[in-house]
Amino acid sequence: MSVLESFGLAGKTALVTGAKRGIGKAMAVALAEAGADIIGVSATLEASGSDLEREVTAIGRSFHGYQCDFSNRDALKSFISTVKQNHPAINILVNNAGTIKRAPLQGHGDDIWDEVIEVNLSSQFILTREIGMGMVARGAGKIIFTASLLTFQGGITVPGYAASKGGIGQLTKAFANEWAAKGVNVNAIAPGYIATDNTEALRNDPERSKSILERIPAGRWGKATDFAGPAVFLASDASDYMHGTIMTVDGGWMGR
């Protein structure tokens, strides 16, 4: 197999959560371009007729769309049962679903904390455990978590988000420690400051936006498409010896 061939995903099926827009959509399209069929899921993704479906099918790959509220444990378990029945051989899992709630610590209520931890951490553990069982049984699979710069830093007014993303970093390592020897690669991508819905408030704050850009060596906010290459790499044979790694895609922020 040549180096370029090792990046191919023909014959693979990828499940991408948080796939309707932003980074999740960009990763799903990239995986399709590399040859994978796509299962997309998010809280509001249309079962059919979505922009993502049109892009994936235009590439010539198959697409199946699902809705799931990842803050609802019963809805998650129902989705897992359905997707495992409809798609018994999922080769790639991209855990990208997430939410962020901003409030100062003194006003950061239990409801905010519980929702963020459930969506960003608990649901991802459960989904990975259940889908990963099939990968372990087959002796092969690729799992990619979406981490964050707040996997490494504390952030401001987002304690639940920071805690959840710190937990994602540890989950990545925990799953890798147990499943690497079973043929399953578990890694994470940590986005920097990316122009998505999650960062709209920051980009609309002139002072915060200026301070952020001044620290990024690349001098710009990231784009969702900046994650196409890293996602394909971690989903492909090219990354077969990578386990428990958190890959930063941050314009150089963490090196500053």
Side-chain angles (χ1 to χ4, degrees), residues 141-153:
K142 299 282 184 171
I143 297 171
I144 305 167
F145 285 98
T146 297
S148 169
L149 293 183
L150 298 195
T151 300
F152 313 101
Q153 301 172 324

Side-chain angles (χ1 to χ4, degrees), residues 103-246:
L105 281 167
Q106 62 271 27
H108 210 89
D110 293 354
D111 56 336
I112 296 176
W113 174 273
D114 289 344
E115 179 182 353
V116 172
I117 294 296
E118 186 68 28
V119 172
N120 292 5
L121 186 60
S122 298
S123 69
Q124 303 206 25
F125 167 72
I126 294 168
L127 181 62
T128 301
R129 181 189 64 200
E130 297 301 312
I131 299 300
M133 286 181 185
M135 297 179 181
V136 169
R138 294 188 297 273
K142 299 282 184 171
I143 297 171
I144 305 167
F145 285 98
T146 297
S148 169
L149 293 183
L150 298 195
T151 300
F152 313 101
Q153 301 172 324
I156 300 171
T157 72
V158 287
Y161 184 83
S164 69
K165 291 301 183 178
I168 287 296
Q170 295 304 99
L171 268 188
T172 299
K173 298 169 188 176
F175 273 110
N177 287 343
E178 294 197 37
W179 287 357
K182 302 180 186 299
V184 179
N185 296 76
V186 185
N187 294 287
I189 298 173
Y193 286 92
I194 313 302
T196 64
D197 292 347
N198 277 358
T199 61
E200 184 175 6
L202 293 177
R203 288 181 287 116
N204 289 338
D205 183 329
E207 291 186 6
R208 288 296 305 281
S209 181
K210 180 175 182 292
S211 67
I212 288 168
L213 284 173
E214 285 174 346
R215 173 166 169 169
I216 301 173
R220 67 171 175 86
W221 289 79
K223 300 174 292 185
T225 52
D226 289 324
F227 297 85
V232 170
F233 170 60
L234 290 179
S236 72
D237 292 344
S239 61
D240 275 353
Y241 200 56
M242 288 186 68
H243 297 277
T245 296
I246 303 171

Side-chain angles (χ1 to χ4, degrees), residues 59-81:
I59 295 166
R61 308 315 312 165
S62 71
F63 177 83
H64 295 85
Y66 295 87
Q67 282 190 5
C68 180
D69 177 359
F70 287 91
S71 70
N72 183 315
R73 189 74 60 91
D74 290 336
L76 173 65
K77 290 183 176 179
S78 176
F79 165 70
I80 290 171
S81 177

Side-chain angles (χ1 to χ4, degrees), residues 29-49:
V29 171
L31 297 176
E33 289 177 341
D37 294 320
I38 304 299
I39 304 164
V41 58
S42 79
T44 59
L45 182 66
E46 301 88 345
S48 63

